[in-house]
Amino acid sequence: MAPAGKAGWTYYPLVALPRALDIVWCRFPSDRASLNPGPKLRPALVRSVYLNRGHTKARAEVTYGTSNLKVETRHLDLILANATDLAEMGLPQATRFDLDMTVVLPWCEEFFMPREGQTSPIIGHLNFAAVSQLETIKVLRRRK
């Protein structure tokens, strides 16, 4: 599950780590096996954070986010569309987090970067309503 990594990654300091359920800007890999940054920034949901043995570098397990909601076919993904909730969580538009597309990436500038005018790749955190929705989806997915 852990990426092999490259010596050239530009790791963020540990004080800049996201927490589980934070939303970050990520260059999610187009090909998860190759572990190369994707072509564009998109929101990603942090599921877990891992430190290396020396506690000097970190990896983040993230779930792919997209504005392609696919509400008719992707019933068991986290779909966020309420304008007030989106603003509270830092999302610029309705977003679907594809719970089948999760990858562990180095917490580095090559994968995670702030959007123009922002200082951190972390844009927000799931609010109470979204966390409740995610918990319900997890239960339904286990029953499937």
Side-chain angles (χ1 to χ4, degrees), residues 44-97:
L45 177 64
V46 177
R47 304 302 297 273
S48 297
V49 176
Y50 308 98
L51 297 176
N52 68 351
R53 286 187 184 188
H55 292 232
T56 57
K57 297 176 183 170
R59 296 172 289 129
E61 180 180 1
V62 294
T63 296
Y64 176 84
T66 179
S67 60
N68 186 353
L69 300 183
K70 295 184 179 180
V71 291
E72 294 81 25
T73 58
R74 299 297 301 189
H75 304 291
L76 295 179
D77 282 340
L78 179 60
I79 299 173
L80 306 172
N82 178 283
T84 303
D85 290 341
L86 293 171
E88 181 182 344
M89 294 181 280
L91 290 165
Q93 61 191 9
T95 302
R96 174 176 58 90
F97 290 104

Side-chain angles (χ1 to χ4, degrees), residues 3-136:
K6 294 183 181 178
W9 295 136
T10 310
Y11 283 89
Y12 284 108
L14 296 183
V15 297
L17 275 176
R19 297 174 294 143
L21 304 181
D22 276 350
I23 301 168
V24 296
W25 288 120
C26 177
R27 292 182 57 197
F28 199 94
S30 303
D31 174 13
R32 289 181 284 169
S34 71
L35 197 66
N36 290 315
K40 72 178 202 173
L41 281 176
R42 59 180 63 256
L45 177 64
V46 177
R47 304 302 297 273
S48 297
V49 176
Y50 308 98
L51 297 176
N52 68 351
R53 286 187 184 188
H55 292 232
T56 57
K57 297 176 183 170
R59 296 172 289 129
E61 180 180 1
V62 294
T63 296
Y64 176 84
T66 179
S67 60
N68 186 353
L69 300 183
K70 295 184 179 180
V71 291
E72 294 81 25
T73 58
R74 299 297 301 189
H75 304 291
L76 295 179
D77 282 340
L78 179 60
I79 299 173
L80 306 172
N82 178 283
T84 303
D85 290 341
L86 293 171
E88 181 182 344
M89 294 181 280
L91 290 165
Q93 61 191 9
T95 302
R96 174 176 58 90
F97 290 104
D98 185 331
L99 300 176
D100 294 323
M101 289 187 64
T102 298
V103 66
V104 177
L105 301 171
W107 178 242
C108 66
E109 293 176 13
E110 290 78 10
F111 284 102
F112 302 95
M113 58 185 51
R115 288 184 87 182
E116 189 173 325
Q118 298 178 340
T119 59
S120 171
I122 302 168
I123 62 168
H125 191 81
L126 289 186
N127 67 7
F128 179 78
V131 171
S132 297
Q133 183 181 348
L134 180 60
E135 291 303 317
T136 299

